Amino acid sequence: MRNFLLKCLNLDGGDEKNSTRRRSLLIDKELNREKRLNRRQVKILLLGAGESGKSTFLKQIRIIEGEVFTERALDDFAATIRQNILMGMKVLLDAREKLGIPWGDAQNQTKAIRIMSADPELTMQNASHFRGLLPAIEVLWRDEGLRVAFERRREFQLGDSVKYFLDQLARIGRVDFVPTNLDVLHARKATKGIIECLINIQGVPFQFVDVGGQRFQRQKWYQCFESVNCILFLAAASEYDQVLLEDRQTNRIIESCDIFSTFVNNTIFAQIAFMLFLNKTDLLEEKFRSCHISHFFLDFTGDPECFEDVQAFILGLFQARIHRMRQEKSGKAVYHHWTSVIDTLHTQRIFTNVKEEIRKEHIKELGLL
């Protein structure tokens, strides 16, 4: 960096020795300024399995901090929403057939054939084409057989936001449709590669790093570990009854626990603030009474219809993975929060606490006072 700046600076006047000295002083001043800025910057790494809510959390922070999405960004989100709707409907139609669920109205088979043959890329890019498919999608979503398939969604892979969008078809299908903040938060696009976002929060630069959570993406995580101040690990607490998309066998919460254990106990992160976000509590609360956790975890001994018992068990699965060595040698607690990052006010309250916890952990080295 220093040599690069020496080549770039071109100062006239004076003898060569004085000119070189002036250049050197300017470079030292610039490097010290950069060092102070980097020292103040808080780097937060978002980790977790696929569909745990990392990207949604990052979008939520941008909204909370007052970012207004550009027209182009909103067009991109609208295209993603169209794709989410079509692909979600295709998954439901395929599941209905494979599960042997009869149609509520047999005449809907013709509409299903049309939707199954629709081009996702064309639907994503062409709003007019999407609107041409909407009447069929609306009828299919009302079909009793498809609703039965939806109720059995734990038996196949269906995105959490599909129902939200299918219930909003009339609004989304309008020619003048512009996604709301809530639509943006529900829009699902798998993270590929590494996404970095710098947000100035109360005068402190926060650098958020979001990396894909699917198994094939995780080798990229190690590229992001330098100068990390805090790790936010997100796990979808509602997924106790679901299996991974990658192998169709591994329980999703067990997968999250395994990943969590790998990082929370790594000596590299012993002196780094580590926070566990048990996410999607809204979905957990919707399902725990009708889908007992005891059917999927035989060691559950509480009341499966008591929300506090279910929460305590899920939290215990993660806490049991924290090795005593970390607790004794690092002296740093692993904080946890029950979250629903789709909820703006709730996330705002949680992030206020997170900022305070980071401040306490790193008050001297980050210069937050």
Side-chain angles (χ1 to χ4, degrees), residues 189-209:
K189 187 176 183 180
T191 302
K192 295 181 180 178
I194 300 168
I195 296 176
E196 297 187 10
C197 183
L198 188 64
I199 304 175
N200 193 288
I201 301 175
Q202 297 175 338
V204 178
F206 277 70
Q207 181 188 16
F208 294 89
V209 183

Side-chain angles (χ1 to χ4, degrees), residues 211-366:
V211 287
Q214 282 76 20
R215 283 180 172 177
F216 71 92
Q217 296 271 3
R218 294 175 198 164
Q219 67 269 22
K220 299 175 184 176
W221 290 6
Y222 293 94
Q223 302 171 29
C224 310
F225 292 161
E226 186 178 358
S227 303
V228 170
N229 302 112
C230 176
I231 291 177
L232 296 187
F233 189 94
L234 283 85
S238 62
E239 294 181 345
Y240 61 84
D241 61 334
Q242 295 172 258
V243 295
L244 289 184
L245 174 65
E246 291 92 330
D247 68 7
R248 312 279 178 165
Q249 293 181 342
T250 306
N251 182 282
R252 289 193 181 188
I253 280 193
I254 295 300
E255 176 83 352
S256 288
C257 285
D258 290 344
I259 305 168
F260 174 77
S261 178
T262 298
F263 288 98
V264 76
N265 298 309
N266 194 314
T267 54
I268 295 173
F269 307 123
Q271 299 304 316
I272 291 175
F274 205 109
M275 301 182 193
L276 171 64
F277 279 17
L278 293 162
N279 193 31
K280 303 189 181 181
T281 53
D282 54 329
L283 299 181
L284 175 64
E285 198 159 9
E286 283 179 12
K287 74 194 292 187
F288 79 97
R289 287 192 179 89
S290 59
C291 184
H292 287 178
I293 194 171
S294 54
H295 294 162
F296 307 94
F297 290 88
L298 300 181
D299 53 341
F300 177 83
T301 57
D303 179 356
E305 296 195 15
C306 173
F307 191 55
E308 290 74 17
D309 284 1
V310 173
Q311 283 186 305
F313 177 79
I314 293 172
L315 175 59
L317 291 175
F318 287 90
Q319 290 179 327
R321 301 298 187 100
I322 304 173
H323 294 170
R324 184 179 299 175
M325 183 177 67
R326 177 188 169 92
Q327 297 169 329
E328 292 177 350
K329 291 190 176 182
S330 74
K332 290 183 179 291
V334 177
Y335 299 99
H336 76 272
H337 297 277
W338 289 93
T339 62
S340 174
V341 297
I342 209 76
D343 183 330
T344 300
L345 290 178
H346 173 81
T347 305
Q348 189 170 23
R349 288 194 298 269
I350 293 294
F351 190 61
T352 297
N353 294 334
V354 167
K355 285 186 291 184
E356 179 61 19
E357 287 159 6
I358 294 173
R359 188 189 71 84
K360 287 179 180 178
E361 290 285 348
H362 299 281
I363 190 168
K364 291 182 180 179
E365 60 251 54
L366 297 180

